[in-house]
Amino acid sequence: MSQGVVNELSPSRVYALSSTFPVDGRLTWYPPTLRGTSVINCYLLLEGTNAMLIDTGLAFHGETLVEQVATLLPDEYRLRILYTRIGDYQSISNTPLVAHRLGVEQIIGAAPECSTWTDFGVERDWGVISEMWSVPNHVLRSAETIGVDPQGDRELHVENSALRLLTNHWVYDGATETLFTGDVFTYCIRADERGPWLVTDPDEVSAEYIRTHLVGTRYWWLPDADAEPIRRGLNEFFERYKVTTIAPGYGCVLRGEAVVRRHVELLDEVLSSCGTRPRQRLSPAAYAYRGRA
Amino acid sequence: MSPLLPQVVRAPRELVPGIWWLGGCTAAPFADRILHGYSSPFLVQGDEAALLVEAGHPAELWAVEQQLDMIKGLGGPPLKYVFATHQEPPHSSGAGRILRANPEAVLVGTVQDYHLVFPGLEDRFRPMQIGESIDLGGTQFQIVDAVIRDLASTQWGFDTRRHVLFPGDGFAYSHYHEAGQCQRTAEEVPELDIADQAALFAELALYWTRFTDIEPYIERLEAMLAELEVELIAPAHGCPITDIAATVPKIVEGLRMGSVLPDLSPPH
């Protein structure tokens, strides 16, 4: 049984649209021995009549998500969807349902024709194929600026995260100092469905807990990695942008300047302990991508 | 319909008796050219049952469904198993729809996450571990270690009768549509710079190889090919490989190149 939860992260501007699910050893997103309850998060950004939905979640909460979005949208709206991770089910699964019920003007993601990545629902009674294949797409570059509104008064800075397995575009909303991090900072869960789904205590988790989470999930390769370039990339990012809310694709939202600072430090501490095995260094000059020119 | 997506369903290609190559090509612009890539499913037929390796890229499910119908029309054993190497849409997105269309079929192998992706089908998931196998009649489909992977849960498959390895994301590389390279094996497109293309894929999709020593993985890969006496490699994202000795070294060179290349992502 899943429960839908809506948290207003910035008044009338950013909403976390969450649905609970059990962490019970059946997921690749959490270490196999971890137990508790987590949430999958989509985020609705509003600016006047313009709406941007960041990620569309998984099939198990599709109806809940549509209801959450519909309740928050103004009477007249222009809805677009932005994917943090085109290659993950958590980002894309409910796109056809949202598009069919609410109408979507554009889909933004890191692949050509990314709307066509979404038509895999078991039920497809509504003729979704033709609908999805006609939705305009925008292909994300490794870093760029996207406006929530057409005038670009509220800009989102989008760039591929320095820590990633596959393409994972972080989205920074400067107007609300909120960073949407996809599959990073996803580790905070709760004992049961009561939540709360916001973390406000800077000392709730330890570096060892985060390390166990990363290595037990998609960052299995970190113990043998030379993570210094990743550390540098993350540090540069957080020096460039002031972040007071970290909004991950699943798990609790990290809330407040002190909490964010602490979690960024903990992640850096984990990454600094990586690299137990020296990497065989080959010179990039030894190779040049021959098809590039 | 999009100019970047397949507009006709190509006939499935039987690589060796009972091993069918399905799917189509998806296109992506890169460096002023259009690169084609695969997310290929393969149908493995035994004497009594058939198993589908990979369940198709979402953009190609309509084509895969028609190809399965074409093969069904030729006779052969019923589809009883679907095996996806890992939990990403290009590899497993068709699982729910294919299970619904084939009431006898079950999803086998690594089945984590799918209860939330395909709710209502949980009773048709059969988790299997590395080392376990399925008897298809006259051949076994073995679950083997995924040497080159992104998700840790990834599994590879191996057909014992025809010595075919199904390595998911391993042995991945693109090809050029305009050069007539679609639906060809690696050895049928000798002009394709496989090492170069494999390096590009590694750089874009195997990000972790930039930060780790790739050599232990290459050693394990070569040992596996020898131990299983692999005769045909059927990757999800590359041309099938029919000459192991000639082509695998090019892939290995590409893995090494991809692990040291600078960021080739499109410019900001």
Side-chain angles (χ1 to χ4, degrees):
Chain A
M1 195 65 183
S2 172
Q3 288 185 2
V5 183
V6 175
N7 274 300
E8 187 177 53
L9 301 181
S10 177
S12 302
R13 300 188 101 182
V14 181
Y15 295 87
L17 315 178
S18 308
S19 288
T20 62
F21 61 85
V23 176
D24 55 6
R26 292 190 293 166
L27 298 165
T28 61
W29 325 321
Y30 288 102
T33 57
L34 190 66
R35 295 292 180 270
T37 301
S38 187
V39 279
I40 185 152
N41 305 313
C42 306
Y43 298 94
L44 187 67
L45 280 56
L46 295 176
E47 189 66 33
T49 58
N50 300 286
M52 182 80 80
L53 180 63
I54 297 181
D55 294 335
T56 66
L58 293 161
F60 82 92
H61 65 106
E63 294 292 342
T64 301
L65 176 69
V66 168
E67 189 179 331
Q68 290 168 329
V69 175
T71 302
L72 292 167
L73 286 173
D75 291 340
E76 291 186 17
Y77 61 86
R78 171 177 178 259
L79 176 62
R80 291 183 294 159
I81 292 174
L82 191 161
Y83 299 136
T84 57
R85 295 153 291 145
I86 182 72
D88 279 336
Y89 285 113
Q90 300 115 316
S91 284
I92 66 174
S93 293
N94 291 314
T95 306
L97 187 64
V98 171
H100 180 70
R101 295 278 183 80
L102 303 174
V104 172
E105 274 198 11
Q106 185 185 46
I107 296 179
I108 302 165
E113 313 290 349
C114 57
S115 60
T116 65
W117 284 56
T118 65
D119 177 37
F120 53 82
V122 175
E123 308 294 346
R124 51 171 191 180
D125 297 337
W126 53 75
V128 163
I129 281 187
S130 58
E131 283 184 35
M132 293 315 302
W133 286 32
S134 62
V135 176
N137 289 254
H138 173 79
V139 183
L140 280 176
R141 297 178 179 179
S142 58
E144 66 178 290
T145 300
I146 304 278
V148 176
D149 55 308
Q151 300 78 27
D153 292 337
R154 183 170 167 199
E155 291 184 333
L156 303 176
H157 300 281
V158 186
E159 68 181 65
N160 218 349
S161 168
L163 176 60
R164 63 181 188 268
L165 180 71
L166 298 168
T167 293
N168 178 23
H169 279 92
W170 283 9
V171 181
Y172 177 68
D173 178 12
T176 65
E177 299 175 353
T178 304
L179 177 65
F180 305 91
T181 56
D183 66 21
V184 185
F185 297 105
T186 57
Y187 40 74
C188 286
I189 69 168
R190 299 303 189 198
D192 55 45
E193 291 193 331
R194 288 174 295 180
W197 304 110
L198 303 182
V199 170
T200 53
D201 174 4
D203 297 318
E204 184 174 310
V205 299
S206 65
E208 186 52 37
Y209 175 87
I210 295 173
R211 180 184 172 85
T212 301
H213 174 85
L214 292 171
V215 174
T217 58
R218 56 182 46 205
Y219 297 101
W220 54 269
W221 44 274
L222 278 175
D224 290 334
D226 170 11
E228 284 305 307
I230 298 172
R231 289 183 70 201
R232 278 198 302 276
L234 292 177
N235 288 332
E236 285 168 10
F237 186 95
F238 284 103
E239 283 170 11
R240 204 175 339 133
Y241 298 117
K242 183 182 181 189
V243 179
T244 54
T245 299
I246 289 179
Y250 46 101
C252 297
V253 170
L254 310 179
R255 192 88 162 117
E257 199 167 351
V259 173
V260 168
R261 185 168 57 247
R262 179 68 178 140
H263 282 260
V264 171
E265 288 170 355
L266 288 170
L267 179 59
D268 185 66
E269 183 181 332
V270 171
L271 293 174
S272 70
S273 69
C274 296
T276 55
R277 183 189 300 171
R279 182 172 187 241
Q280 179 176 334
R281 280 288 176 195
L282 301 177
S283 166
Y287 298 106
Y289 177 59
R290 294 183 285 264
R292 197 178 184 191
Chain B
M1 186 176 290
S2 162
L4 292 178
L5 291 168
Q7 297 182 34
V8 293
V9 180
R10 68 166 166 82
R13 178 173 175 181
E14 192 170 26
L15 293 167
V16 294
I19 304 289
W20 295 86
W21 181 17
L22 313 181
C25 300
T26 48
F30 186 85
D32 300 326
R33 296 186 71 176
I34 297 293
L35 280 177
H36 264 196
Y38 296 118
S39 292
S40 305
F42 296 89
L43 188 70
V44 180
Q45 293 177 315
D47 297 333
E48 294 164 9
L51 177 148
L52 185 66
V53 180
E54 312 289 25
H57 188 293
E60 297 176 3
L61 294 186
W62 61 282
V64 173
E65 287 168 335
Q66 290 185 42
Q67 290 168 330
L68 287 171
D69 284 344
M70 289 180 199
I71 297 172
K72 194 174 182 180
L74 300 174
L79 179 61
K80 291 189 176 179
Y81 306 98
V82 178
F83 168 81
T85 55
H86 56 298
Q87 293 89 344
E88 290 169 0
H91 295 268
S92 55
S93 65
R97 202 172 290 175
I98 291 168
L99 290 184
R100 278 284 163 86
N102 296 272
E104 277 188 275
V106 292
L107 181 65
V108 298
T110 174
V111 299
Q112 293 161 287
D113 303 347
Y114 293 132
H115 58 294
L116 300 182
V117 178
F118 305 115
L121 293 172
E122 297 91 330
D123 61 342
R124 296 174 67 187
F125 301 162
R126 303 279 186 274
M128 292 180 66
Q129 306 300 318
I130 290 166
E132 293 187 284
S133 60
I134 295 169
D135 186 356
L136 300 178
T139 187
Q140 300 282 318
F141 185 83
Q142 293 181 346
I143 311 290
V144 298
D145 187 20
V147 180
I148 305 294
R149 61 187 182 183
D150 50 25
L151 290 181
S153 56
T154 305
Q155 297 174 338
W156 289 2
F158 180 67
D159 173 75
T160 59
R161 182 160 75 188
R162 288 145 294 206
H163 287 248
V164 185
L165 180 67
F166 300 94
D169 281 343
F171 303 89
Y173 53 99
S174 303
H175 62 276
Y176 293 103
H177 171 77
E178 70 269 25
Q181 295 170 342
C182 302
Q183 209 187 352
R184 306 289 183 194
T185 67
E187 293 73 24
E188 290 170 343
V189 287
E191 70 282 7
L192 179 63
D193 191 339
I194 290 175
D196 217 28
Q197 292 296 327
L200 178 63
F201 185 93
E203 193 278 336
L204 295 175
L206 297 172
Y207 178 69
W208 60 270
T209 64
R210 291 193 215 172
F211 309 103
T212 53
D213 182 359
I214 195 71
E215 295 307 320
Y217 297 93
I218 291 172
E219 287 171 22
R220 286 170 59 196
L221 190 62
E222 291 174 338
M224 172 186 275
L225 295 177
E227 181 185 337
L228 295 175
E229 299 178 357
V230 173
E231 295 178 7
L232 173 66
I233 298 173
H237 302 306
C239 308
I241 295 168
T242 60
D243 187 337
I244 308 299
T247 304
V248 168
K250 299 174 186 173
I251 300 289
V252 167
E253 183 190 356
L255 281 172
R256 288 185 174 125
M257 289 165 60
S259 73
V260 298
L261 282 172
D263 192 348
L264 293 181
S265 303
H268 298 179

